[in-house]
Amino acid sequence: MGEVITVERQILRKNDEIAAENRELFRKNRIFVFNLLSSPGSGKTSLLEKTLEKLHNTYRIAVVEGDVQTDLDAQRIARFDVPVIQIVTKGGCHLEASLIQNALGNFTLNELDALIIENVGNLVCPSNYDLGEELKVVVVSTTEGDDKPLKYPNMFRVADVMVINKTDLLPYVEFDIAAVRKNALSINPNLTIFEVSCRTAEGLDPWVNWLDGKIKSEKAD
Amino acid sequence: MGEVITVERQILRKNDEIAAENRELFRKNRIFVFNLLSSPGSGKTSLLEKTLEKLHNTYRIAVVEGDVQTDLDAQRIARFDVPVIQIVTKGGCHLEASLIQNALGNFTLNELDALIIENVGNLVCPSNYDLGEELKVVVVSTTEGDDKPLKYPNMFRVADVMVINKTDLLPYVEFDIAAVRKNALSINPNLTIFEVSCRTAEGLDPWVNWLDGKIKSEKAD
């Protein structure tokens, strides 16, 4: 296995270099960028839709969609008046900085306020790949079990924000909000946590207001 | 990327060789083996618990649990009177045949009727790794969206069975059972499909009866 690990390290080092270039580009153009991560079906695209509904008239936001296959998510986003690029990894379990770098050529960067990257649905692989984003936002849903932060610790370790989605289903599932908070904070005490239901819109305002502040402070820097 | 792909191919070839050894061992000992796959939180462990409840007094069943971190799942299984081994991949996104081969040394193989392998929660990576099992069973839950087979096609292509879990939540989510069936069958027309709720036990009997038949026919071969 030694050789494989070496190759993986080389890939990660090269990835980190390109991520640093992306980050510099975002900084120069004052674009606030976050990377949306979760297992398949936690509601990344729904959260993105709700976020765009609230913010796309105020800010110029672009979206990069990552999927193993299909452009279904980009189609969902296309109904908003925002530029969206779909990356299809064709089996790859994560986005890489170079894929983002290539996608950026499709946008007029100095016209953008924010870029949202929706990663491939996966709680393992994407956690190792810096894309140059400012923040990583991990979504967990109330139907997945409150032990997820303990079982996939690296994702919660590298994340800055945890959004607990599908709170409308709490009456019908065995999921302890206090437990998932405690489990996540035991891995990463610095996590900012939001509780939302993309279905009923409950709890979305604090999340959107927080994002709004982040985009504003990127502009003011 | 050429070198990386070569290394990955070598890994997969080596994995397939060990998987073939595992398969031969299972055949000689007439053990029916299946590999349980899904994204995190779809209910693999719950399905396993319900299956053991119904079958562990009739058959001698062993379990291998795969997780990125923690032995929480093995603890859940340990309350049944079955031998269980936890494999912790420490960041790895899938089980490999060699990990199973090592785990098998903990069991008395000729005393077993069945072995259930619960893979790491991931809809991408485990699909490439044959473990020597007879069948792959992919679990999708009604909270994940009915587009999952289209977005993660390789998993559904290699699977033999799809179990749709959490049917008790159908009234509260936007999930079309007919659509997920159609999407899955468009990728793999040979899929056997079950609809269950591990919470209410609805639909578990057809799944358990089908498994019962598989274990019996392995013995009779």
Side-chain angles (χ1 to χ4, degrees):
Chain A
M1 292 291 283
E3 193 193 350
V4 181
I5 290 168
T6 307
V7 173
E8 202 193 335
R9 282 208 187 119
Q10 284 169 1
I11 293 171
L12 286 176
R13 196 181 313 128
K14 183 66 185 162
N15 182 75
D16 285 349
E17 286 169 19
I18 301 174
E21 294 170 15
N22 291 348
R23 185 166 283 117
E24 181 59 17
L25 211 54
F26 298 145
R27 197 192 59 75
K28 276 186 187 155
N29 290 283
R30 294 172 181 273
I31 307 173
F32 173 70
V33 182
F34 72 91
N35 183 0
L36 204 47
L37 303 136
S38 80
S39 48
S42 301
K44 287 186 298 304
T45 316
S46 298
L47 182 64
L48 184 46
E49 288 173 321
K50 293 297 170 185
T51 304
L52 290 175
E53 264 176 30
K54 303 240 185 194
L55 292 178
H56 85 289
N57 288 326
T58 312
Y59 297 110
R60 298 158 302 179
I61 302 174
V63 173
V64 173
E65 282 291 342
D67 275 295
V68 171
Q69 203 60 265
T70 81
D71 63 351
L72 293 173
D73 286 349
Q75 288 175 34
R76 281 173 64 179
I77 298 308
R79 67 191 176 87
F80 298 95
D81 187 21
V82 302
V84 53
I85 296 293
Q86 176 81 51
I87 298 174
V88 174
T89 64
K90 295 188 178 170
C93 56
H94 58 268
L95 294 178
E96 298 183 13
S98 61
L99 293 170
I100 299 301
Q101 194 167 57
N102 293 344
L104 292 181
N106 296 284
F107 302 126
T108 311
L109 290 181
N110 67 15
E111 290 180 359
L112 292 182
D113 298 314
L115 172 69
I116 307 177
I117 302 168
E118 183 181 341
N119 220 307
V120 175
N122 199 305
L123 270 187
V124 183
C125 319
S127 65
N128 289 321
Y129 288 82
D130 183 10
L131 305 179
E133 73 278 41
E134 188 164 329
L135 294 176
K136 287 184 166 69
V137 177
V138 61
V139 182
V140 295
S141 77
T142 60
T143 62
E144 288 169 41
D146 45 44
D147 56 357
K148 287 298 158 290
L150 301 179
K151 291 171 83 175
Y152 301 89
N154 199 46
M155 183 59 84
F156 292 83
R157 199 170 290 129
V158 300
D160 303 281
V161 178
M162 174 171 77
V163 176
I164 306 169
N165 188 23
K166 307 192 191 179
T167 53
D168 56 299
L169 294 177
L170 279 171
Y172 316 112
V173 294
E174 282 156 45
F175 183 91
D176 183 341
I177 289 264
V180 79
R181 281 179 167 268
K182 181 168 162 262
N183 290 338
L185 291 170
S186 76
I187 303 289
N188 179 354
N190 299 318
L191 271 178
T192 301
I193 302 176
F194 297 95
E195 297 174 18
V196 309
S197 163
C198 289
R199 195 155 185 254
T200 67
E202 195 188 351
L204 282 171
D205 282 344
W207 154 254
V208 170
N209 292 341
W210 178 87
L211 262 188
D212 184 277
K214 288 287 174 185
I215 299 173
K216 278 203 180 74
S217 79
E218 181 77 34
K219 288 283 142 196
D221 266 357
Chain B
M1 290 291 284
E3 194 193 350
V4 180
I5 289 168
T6 307
V7 173
E8 202 192 334
R9 282 208 187 117
Q10 284 169 0
I11 293 171
L12 286 177
R13 196 181 314 128
K14 182 67 186 162
N15 183 76
D16 285 348
E17 286 169 20
I18 301 174
E21 294 170 14
N22 291 348
R23 186 166 282 116
E24 181 58 19
L25 211 54
F26 298 145
R27 196 193 59 75
K28 275 187 187 155
N29 290 283
R30 296 173 180 272
I31 307 173
F32 173 71
V33 182
F34 72 91
N35 183 1
L36 203 48
L37 304 136
S38 81
S39 49
S42 300
K44 287 186 299 303
T45 316
S46 297
L47 182 64
L48 184 46
E49 288 173 321
K50 294 295 170 187
T51 305
L52 289 175
E53 264 176 30
K54 303 239 184 194
L55 292 178
H56 85 289
N57 289 325
T58 313
Y59 297 109
R60 297 158 301 178
I61 303 174
V63 173
V64 173
E65 282 291 343
D67 275 295
V68 171
Q69 204 59 265
T70 81
D71 63 351
L72 293 173
D73 286 349
Q75 289 176 34
R76 281 173 64 179
I77 298 308
R79 67 192 176 86
F80 297 94
D81 188 21
V82 302
V84 53
I85 296 294
Q86 175 82 48
I87 298 174
V88 175
T89 64
K90 296 189 178 170
C93 56
H94 58 267
L95 293 178
E96 299 183 13
S98 62
L99 293 170
I100 300 299
Q101 194 168 55
N102 293 343
L104 292 181
N106 296 284
F107 301 126
T108 310
L109 291 181
N110 66 15
E111 290 179 358
L112 293 183
D113 299 313
L115 173 68
I116 307 177
I117 303 168
E118 183 181 341
N119 219 307
V120 175
N122 198 307
L123 271 186
V124 183
C125 319
S127 65
N128 290 321
Y129 287 83
D130 182 11
L131 305 178
E133 73 278 43
E134 188 163 330
L135 295 174
K136 286 184 167 67
V137 177
V138 61
V139 183
V140 295
S141 77
T142 60
T143 61
E144 287 169 42
D146 44 44
D147 56 357
K148 287 300 158 291
L150 301 179
K151 291 171 83 174
Y152 301 88
N154 199 45
M155 183 59 83
F156 292 83
R157 199 171 289 129
V158 300
D160 304 280
V161 178
M162 173 171 77
V163 176
I164 306 169
N165 187 25
K166 307 191 190 179
T167 53
D168 57 298
L169 294 177
L170 279 171
Y172 316 112
V173 294
E174 282 156 46
F175 184 90
D176 183 343
I177 288 263
V180 79
R181 281 178 167 271
K182 181 168 162 262
N183 290 338
L185 291 170
S186 77
I187 303 289
N188 180 354
N190 299 318
L191 272 178
T192 301
I193 303 176
F194 297 95
E195 298 174 16
V196 309
S197 164
C198 289
R199 196 156 183 253
T200 67
E202 195 188 351
L204 282 171
D205 283 344
W207 153 254
V208 170
N209 292 340
W210 178 86
L211 263 188
D212 184 276
K214 288 287 174 186
I215 299 172
K216 277 203 179 74
S217 80
E218 180 77 33
K219 288 283 140 196
D221 266 356

Tab-separated table of all heavy atoms in Angstrom, chain B residues 41 47 55 64 79 91 128 130 151 153 159 165 175 177 194-195 199 220:
chain	number	residue	atom	x	y	z
B	41	GLY	N	-26.854	6.609	6.704
B	41	GLY	CA	-28.154	6.936	7.270
B	41	GLY	C	-29.364	6.413	6.524
B	41	GLY	O	-30.491	6.781	6.832
B	47	LEU	N	-31.900	-2.344	9.007
B	47	LEU	CA	-32.355	-3.491	8.209
B	47	LEU	C	-31.681	-4.769	8.701
B	47	LEU	O	-32.308	-5.830	8.813
B	47	LEU	CB	-32.045	-3.261	6.728
B	47	LEU	CG	-32.521	-4.363	5.777
B	47	LEU	CD1	-34.039	-4.476	5.765
B	47	LEU	CD2	-32.014	-4.118	4.346
B	55	LEU	N	-34.221	-13.997	11.738
B	55	LEU	CA	-33.512	-15.181	11.227
B	55	LEU	C	-32.456	-15.770	12.156
B	55	LEU	O	-32.012	-16.895	11.933
B	55	LEU	CB	-32.852	-14.855	9.873
B	55	LEU	CG	-33.790	-14.597	8.689
B	55	LEU	CD1	-32.965	-14.254	7.451
B	55	LEU	CD2	-34.672	-15.825	8.408
B	64	VAL	N	-20.062	-8.821	9.492
B	64	VAL	CA	-18.889	-7.952	9.453
B	64	VAL	C	-19.386	-6.523	9.266
B	64	VAL	O	-20.126	-6.234	8.325
B	64	VAL	CB	-17.922	-8.326	8.305
B	64	VAL	CG1	-16.811	-7.292	8.192
B	64	VAL	CG2	-17.339	-9.714	8.527
B	79	ARG	N	-25.944	-7.217	20.530
B	79	ARG	CA	-27.007	-7.662	21.435
B	79	ARG	C	-27.746	-8.892	20.894
B	79	ARG	O	-28.472	-9.550	21.621
B	79	ARG	CB	-27.977	-6.510	21.752
B	79	ARG	CG	-28.784	-6.040	20.582
B	79	ARG	CD	-29.504	-4.734	20.882
B	79	ARG	NE	-30.191	-4.248	19.712
B	79	ARG	CZ	-31.422	-4.623	19.350
B	79	ARG	NH1	-32.108	-5.474	20.074
B	79	ARG	NH2	-31.970	-4.126	18.265
B	91	GLY	N	-10.842	6.306	7.751
B	91	GLY	CA	-10.839	7.264	6.650
B	91	GLY	C	-11.129	6.634	5.302
B	91	GLY	O	-11.538	7.319	4.380
B	128	ASN	N	-16.984	-0.406	-6.582
B	128	ASN	CA	-15.901	-0.980	-7.394
B	128	ASN	C	-15.233	-2.191	-6.752
B	128	ASN	O	-14.413	-2.843	-7.388
B	128	ASN	CB	-14.813	0.072	-7.641
B	128	ASN	CG	-15.283	1.156	-8.585
B	128	ASN	OD1	-15.981	0.875	-9.548
B	128	ASN	ND2	-14.925	2.397	-8.285
B	130	ASP	N	-15.329	-5.753	-5.267
B	130	ASP	CA	-15.887	-7.082	-5.028
B	130	ASP	C	-15.291	-7.615	-3.734
B	130	ASP	O	-14.085	-7.510	-3.508
B	130	ASP	CB	-15.498	-7.979	-6.215
B	130	ASP	CG	-16.078	-9.375	-6.098
B	130	ASP	OD1	-16.944	-9.600	-5.230
B	130	ASP	OD2	-15.665	-10.233	-6.904
B	151	LYS	N	-28.210	9.367	-10.248
B	151	LYS	CA	-27.047	10.159	-9.868
B	151	LYS	C	-25.866	9.295	-9.418
B	151	LYS	O	-24.725	9.756	-9.421
B	151	LYS	CB	-27.436	11.151	-8.767
B	151	LYS	CG	-28.379	12.239	-9.297
B	151	LYS	CD	-28.943	13.089	-8.197
B	151	LYS	CE	-27.987	14.189	-7.790
B	151	LYS	NZ	-28.630	15.092	-6.807
B	153	PRO	N	-25.193	5.868	-10.653
B	153	PRO	CA	-25.611	4.700	-11.437
B	153	PRO	C	-24.770	3.452	-11.203
B	153	PRO	O	-25.293	2.337	-11.249
B	153	PRO	CB	-25.502	5.181	-12.890
B	153	PRO	CG	-24.580	6.354	-12.845
B	153	PRO	CD	-24.776	6.989	-11.509
B	159	ALA	N	-25.526	-3.706	-8.237
B	159	ALA	CA	-26.383	-4.306	-7.200
B	159	ALA	C	-27.286	-5.381	-7.794
B	159	ALA	O	-27.628	-5.348	-8.976
B	159	ALA	CB	-27.230	-3.226	-6.534
B	165	ASN	N	-36.173	1.713	1.864
B	165	ASN	CA	-36.454	1.747	3.309
B	165	ASN	C	-37.179	3.045	3.695
B	165	ASN	O	-37.210	3.992	2.921
B	165	ASN	CB	-35.137	1.608	4.087
B	165	ASN	CG	-35.347	1.455	5.584
B	165	ASN	OD1	-36.408	0.998	6.040
B	165	ASN	ND2	-34.350	1.826	6.370
B	175	PHE	N	-41.334	11.906	-2.437
B	175	PHE	CA	-40.586	10.762	-2.951
B	175	PHE	C	-41.590	9.877	-3.674
B	175	PHE	O	-42.604	9.482	-3.108
B	175	PHE	CB	-39.950	10.001	-1.781
B	175	PHE	CG	-39.071	8.845	-2.194
B	175	PHE	CD1	-37.716	9.036	-2.417
B	175	PHE	CD2	-39.593	7.561	-2.349
B	175	PHE	CE1	-36.897	7.970	-2.777
B	175	PHE	CE2	-38.785	6.498	-2.719
B	175	PHE	CZ	-37.437	6.705	-2.933
B	177	ILE	N	-42.325	6.451	-5.282
B	177	ILE	CA	-41.861	5.052	-5.324
B	177	ILE	C	-41.789	4.553	-6.774
B	177	ILE	O	-40.825	3.890	-7.174
B	177	ILE	CB	-42.814	4.142	-4.510
B	177	ILE	CG1	-42.654	4.397	-3.014
B	177	ILE	CG2	-42.582	2.671	-4.859
B	177	ILE	CD1	-41.738	3.428	-2.299
B	194	PHE	N	-37.453	-4.524	-3.019
B	194	PHE	CA	-38.326	-4.662	-1.852
B	194	PHE	C	-38.631	-3.270	-1.288
B	194	PHE	O	-37.788	-2.376	-1.356
B	194	PHE	CB	-37.655	-5.509	-0.762
B	194	PHE	CG	-37.390	-6.924	-1.183
B	194	PHE	CD1	-36.146	-7.294	-1.694
B	194	PHE	CD2	-38.380	-7.888	-1.082
B	194	PHE	CE1	-35.905	-8.602	-2.098
B	194	PHE	CE2	-38.148	-9.192	-1.485
B	194	PHE	CZ	-36.902	-9.557	-1.987
B	195	GLU	N	-39.818	-3.121	-0.718
B	195	GLU	CA	-40.195	-1.870	-0.036
B	195	GLU	C	-40.439	-2.197	1.426
B	195	GLU	O	-41.298	-3.024	1.745
B	195	GLU	CB	-41.474	-1.292	-0.640
B	195	GLU	CG	-41.334	-0.924	-2.107
B	195	GLU	CD	-42.661	-0.475	-2.728
B	195	GLU	OE1	-43.613	-0.161	-1.981
B	195	GLU	OE2	-42.741	-0.454	-3.966
B	199	ARG	N	-38.863	0.724	10.730
B	199	ARG	CA	-39.463	1.296	11.941
B	199	ARG	C	-40.766	0.590	12.296
B	199	ARG	O	-40.982	0.237	13.443
B	199	ARG	CB	-39.702	2.791	11.687
B	199	ARG	CG	-39.957	3.576	12.929
B	199	ARG	CD	-39.592	5.039	12.699
B	199	ARG	NE	-39.760	5.799	13.896
B	199	ARG	CZ	-40.752	6.663	14.097
B	199	ARG	NH1	-41.656	6.868	13.161
B	199	ARG	NH2	-40.836	7.326	15.235
B	220	ALA	N	-28.406	-26.288	-0.074
B	220	ALA	CA	-28.838	-27.431	-0.887
B	220	ALA	C	-27.946	-27.646	-2.094
B	220	ALA	O	-27.976	-28.716	-2.697
B	220	ALA	CB	-30.279	-27.208	-1.333
